[in-house]
Amino acid sequence: TAKEFSIGKKTGIDLLAESQGNLPEDIIFNKTSLYSFAIGQHSLIVTPLQTAIMLSAIANKGKVFKPKLLMADETEIKQKIFMPDEIREMILEGMSKAVSSNAGSARANIINTLKKQPKLLQEYKKLSNEFVGKTSTAEFMFNPNINPSSKAEKYNNIWFGSISFESNKNASKKQLWQKPELVVVVQ
């Protein structure tokens, strides 16, 4: 399934030196690797662009688009992933809870900037029914020293991916989710 979302391969965007990331192959036969992979660990490497394509495919009911740099460029659907409405809605509901529930990892009252600025906090809460999101932390080991015998240090790479939907104050979540508008991934 990860391969269908373009994980572990170049997206085809018209940019030089695009990274393909890494989709580990041992997850097929190694359960420990599969469990680590399932929570974003192991040797999985996903670029922000690949994450945006994955979120876009969820937003667009399984259509995987080739990314483009200019709005004027023709839109190309690379493939269609099997994504029944029940599965899509379950994913979007979980992402909705991440930004709007009392225990969500991107809930308004734990975002430092929002805590310091009550006006922004109110705006975030007002818009929280128009977007869904997912937080993520990727750990990696890196040796910043020139001496190869020095130890690598652990770093955390914090991510947030979001899908916004066309504004309609009277729409239910399911109705709102029919009109995706924008995907944003920040690192």
Side-chain angles (χ1 to χ4, degrees), residues 115-172:
K115 287 195 285 188
K116 295 174 187 172
Q117 298 184 33
K119 199 171 187 178
L120 281 178
L121 176 64
Q122 291 306 315
E123 191 67 25
Y124 184 94
K125 287 181 176 180
K126 191 183 339 176
L127 295 173
S128 67
N129 69 327
E130 295 179 21
F131 70 97
V132 298
K134 175 69 178 92
T135 59
S136 179
T137 303
E139 297 174 345
F140 64 97
M141 300 299 287
F142 178 69
N143 185 349
N145 303 302
I146 197 161
N147 182 352
S149 65
S150 60
K151 288 189 173 187
E153 299 172 22
K154 188 190 307 187
Y155 291 87
N156 286 329
N157 199 348
I158 311 299
W159 290 56
F160 180 72
S162 182
I163 306 167
S164 70
F165 299 91
E166 195 174 286
S167 180
N168 182 346
K169 301 295 181 202
N170 300 320
S172 69

Side-chain angles (χ1 to χ4, degrees), residues 51-86:
T51 303
I53 288 171
M54 177 187 68
L55 291 174
S56 173
I58 294 167
N60 290 295
K61 301 179 180 183
K63 294 178 193 154
V64 178
F65 291 100
K66 177 184 176 191
K68 58 185 184 176
L69 297 174
L70 303 173
M71 289 289 292
D73 290 349
E74 188 176 322
T75 300
E76 178 185 334
I77 298 173
K78 290 175 63 175
Q79 64 187 26
K80 180 99 165 87
I81 296 173
F82 175 71
M83 186 168 301
D85 288 342
E86 310 83 60

Side-chain angles (χ1 to χ4, degrees), residues 2-3 6-10 19-23 44-46 50:
K3 285 181 182 179
S6 297
I7 305 298
K9 58 185 173 187
K10 292 184 179 185
S19 171
Q20 70 180 28
N22 183 58
L23 181 59
L44 175 67
I45 299 172
V46 180
Q50 289 169 335

Side-chain angles (χ1 to χ4, degrees), residues 24-35 42:
E25 294 293 330
D26 66 338
I27 60 175
I28 296 167
F29 55 84
N30 182 330
K31 285 189 179 185
T32 302
S33 295
L34 177 61
Y35 299 150
H42 192 23

